Amino acid sequence: LTGVPVQYYRSQWTVLAGGALFLALVVGTLSGIYPALYLSRLSPALLLRSGGPSDDPSRGSATVRRALVVFQFTISAALTIGALLVTRQLDFIQSKDIGIARQEVLVIPVSAIQEDAYSALKGELLRMSSIRSVTASFSVPGERIVMDAIRPANAREQEYGIRMILADFDFPETYGLSLTGGRSFSRDRMADTAGAFLINEKAAALFGWDSPVGKTVAYPGQKRNGQVVGILKDFNFASLHAPVEPLVVSLNVNPQYFKNIAVRMRTRDRHETLGAIERTWKAVLPGRPFEYYFLDESFNNLYLSEVKLRTIVGAFTLLGTLIACMGLFGLVTLSVEKRTKEIGIRKVLGATVGGVVGTIAGDFLKLVLLANLIAWPIAWYGASRWLEDFAYRTDISPWLFAATAGVTLLLAFLTIALQATRAAVANPVDALRYE
């Protein structure tokens, strides 16, 4: 229905929200057609001759019609608040500083690259003035990072299942990661080649280390031990739906373990730099296709479901508001027809056009205001439940509700004024002769 793969849905709430919006459209359409079509068939003259409100056979249905208008604008207001909140949350997660310099990082998927080929490719790329740094790794931030077993020195036989990245030199520099202690991997230290680790702050807390630098770590999967040489500042290497997890980056100089090459560019002239990288790739690895993607695009793909949801909610908001205004227009039309003589008398007694319009609008704007008051707790509850799916989320600001009330009241007033003004500017003599 939305064109989003199932794996991008982060919770059942998104699916339920889509179904609820579809139901709201159907119900809103039906309730909007009723006032617009059925009410137009009533004879205002007959209603005026029937003896007034007490004898009006449609008095009961008038209450129903007003209730339908309240219902329509309740849906419209709730959807508007939802659309504003989804947009606000999406802007928040896309602009949040996650601890990674995502811009201008090119990722090239590779498989089974030989050591001499990788060394030649990296050397040629680093000769370019438009390239800052190059690294390689098994996993890449923004994609699924595998878990592996790690045994800290103080844990004896205890192993921790933890997110693990096998990486080459220059991994923190290429991805723009910050260190809160220690240093990065160094080619000048032979001990690093034998075994060296970077851990993030979450991992240090998990291991119970106040001073992790110099601690020994056993990596059973690689059958080697090594020391922690640096502490990475916690960064979000996955979606903001989840909090930061413990992470270990293990230095590995064997390119056969690498699945991705990352290139940080100096320039924003992507076209020229991409052309130079592609030519170098084809020269070093002839016959192998040059495929790539940008890291910032990969992170944006983590929120495809939210982007789709924003589009859906926005579309339903427009439709719901249009239907609500149509229903209100039909109700105002009937009211104006019934009050034609009253409007004529008011004009004769000196009422202005603005005064007449204000009198008519006041009654209906109360209905719209009531609809907003009903919609607020509904929207707040739905928004709160939806935001629970994010470890990092924006707040539900009062201005969302105030802005929605202002917009719906303004649209309702314009809808009412369109019909009420026609009656207010009419010749009062014709109104007094109206039957």
Side-chain angles (χ1 to χ4, degrees):
L1 177 62
T2 62
V4 181
V6 175
Q7 59 266 28
Y8 285 111
Y9 286 103
R10 304 301 180 184
S11 70
Q12 295 180 352
W13 173 250
T14 305
V15 180
L16 293 174
L21 291 175
F22 177 76
L23 179 62
L25 176 63
V26 174
V27 175
T29 302
L30 294 177
S31 58
I33 291 175
Y34 174 77
L37 297 181
Y38 172 75
L39 299 183
S40 63
R41 299 177 183 175
L42 299 178
S43 172
L46 180 60
L47 294 178
L48 290 173
R49 288 198 300 265
S50 63
S54 60
D55 299 325
D56 188 352
S58 64
R59 185 179 182 184
S61 60
T63 302
V64 174
R65 293 193 294 271
R66 289 175 176 268
L68 285 175
V69 169
V70 172
F71 176 69
Q72 290 167 340
F73 273 95
T74 298
I75 294 177
S76 176
L79 287 175
T80 301
I81 295 171
L84 292 174
L85 182 72
V86 171
T87 300
R88 181 182 173 92
Q89 175 64 11
L90 191 57
D91 291 340
F92 172 78
I93 59 181
Q94 289 181 333
S95 61
K96 185 180 185 299
D97 182 9
I98 62 173
I100 301 177
R102 293 173 286 181
Q103 303 297 324
E104 308 308 324
V105 177
L106 181 74
V107 180
I108 308 172
V110 296
S111 60
I113 187 172
Q114 299 300 315
E115 183 175 356
D116 55 347
Y118 171 68
S119 298
L121 177 65
K122 184 173 182 178
E124 291 296 326
L125 291 176
L126 289 176
R127 288 190 180 93
M128 299 181 190
S129 59
S130 58
I131 302 298
R132 287 187 178 183
S133 62
V134 179
T135 192
S137 60
F138 183 86
S139 302
V140 173
E143 298 182 353
R144 185 69 175 175
I145 296 178
V146 298
M147 297 190 71
D148 212 335
I150 285 291
R151 186 185 304 124
N154 65 336
R156 297 181 181 177
E157 298 301 320
Q158 181 179 0
E159 291 185 353
Y160 292 86
I162 199 168
R163 301 292 177 189
M164 170 69 68
I165 297 179
L166 302 180
D168 187 22
F169 294 101
D170 305 313
F171 183 84
E173 293 78 7
T174 302
Y175 287 101
L177 308 180
S178 300
L179 276 74
T180 60
R183 58 176 175 81
S184 184
F185 300 132
S186 175
R187 295 178 181 83
D188 299 329
R189 299 174 183 261
M190 294 300 296
D192 283 9
T193 304
F197 298 90
L198 298 172
I199 67 173
N200 68 351
E201 296 168 313
K202 288 285 187 180
L206 177 66
F207 300 154
W209 289 342
D210 294 328
S211 301
V213 177
K215 299 288 187 180
T216 301
V217 173
Y219 187 7
Q222 294 287 310
K223 296 181 180 180
R224 58 191 177 92
N225 299 339
Q227 286 189 337
V228 175
V229 300
I231 306 103
L232 294 170
K233 182 179 180 180
D234 285 339
F235 64 96
N236 295 94
F237 51 83
S239 165
L240 293 183
H241 287 88
V244 176
E245 297 180 73
L247 175 73
V248 173
V249 180
S250 173
L251 177 62
N252 193 302
V253 295
N254 187 349
Q256 292 186 353
Y257 287 99
F258 299 151
K259 298 294 183 182
N260 302 275
I261 297 174
V263 180
R264 171 164 291 281
M265 300 183 294
R266 293 183 184 276
T267 176
R268 292 189 175 274
D269 188 355
R270 288 186 175 185
H271 181 73
E272 181 180 348
T273 305
L274 278 174
I277 295 174
E278 183 175 6
R279 288 190 295 272
T280 301
W281 175 274
K282 290 181 178 179
V284 177
L285 298 167
R288 297 188 65 169
F290 177 66
E291 299 176 347
Y292 65 90
Y293 64 88
F294 285 96
L295 188 65
D296 55 349
E297 296 174 353
S298 176
F299 271 93
N300 288 337
N301 288 339
L302 296 174
Y303 309 108
L304 286 180
S305 61
E306 284 73 28
V307 173
K308 290 291 184 179
L309 181 61
R310 178 177 62 180
T311 302
I312 293 173
V313 174
F316 275 88
T317 299
L318 292 176
L319 288 174
T321 303
L322 177 61
I323 293 170
C325 289
M326 289 173 56
L328 181 61
F329 185 82
L331 191 59
V332 173
T333 300
L334 178 62
S335 177
V336 168
E337 291 293 335
K338 293 178 63 176
R339 299 173 67 177
T340 300
K341 283 190 175 182
E342 175 191 339
I343 293 172
I345 293 173
R346 288 178 179 273
K347 292 289 296 296
V348 169
L349 294 178
T352 63
V353 173
V356 173
V357 173
T359 300
I360 298 174
D363 295 336
F364 295 102
L365 291 181
K366 293 177 183 178
L367 300 179
V368 179
L369 182 59
L370 175 62
N372 275 273
L373 295 177
I374 297 174
W376 287 355
I378 298 174
W380 180 87
Y381 175 77
S384 300
R385 291 292 303 274
W386 182 70
L387 286 175
E388 287 177 359
D389 198 35
F390 295 87
Y392 307 89
R393 48 184 176 264
T394 185
D395 60 325
I396 305 177
S397 175
W399 77 262
L400 295 175
F401 302 90
T404 299
V407 170
T408 53
L409 286 170
L410 177 60
L411 290 176
F413 177 78
L414 294 177
T415 301
I416 297 167
L418 180 64
Q419 182 66 13
T421 302
R422 294 175 56 189
V425 299
N427 190 334
V429 176
D430 295 335
L432 292 174
R433 280 186 282 187
Y434 176 77
E435 286 293 340

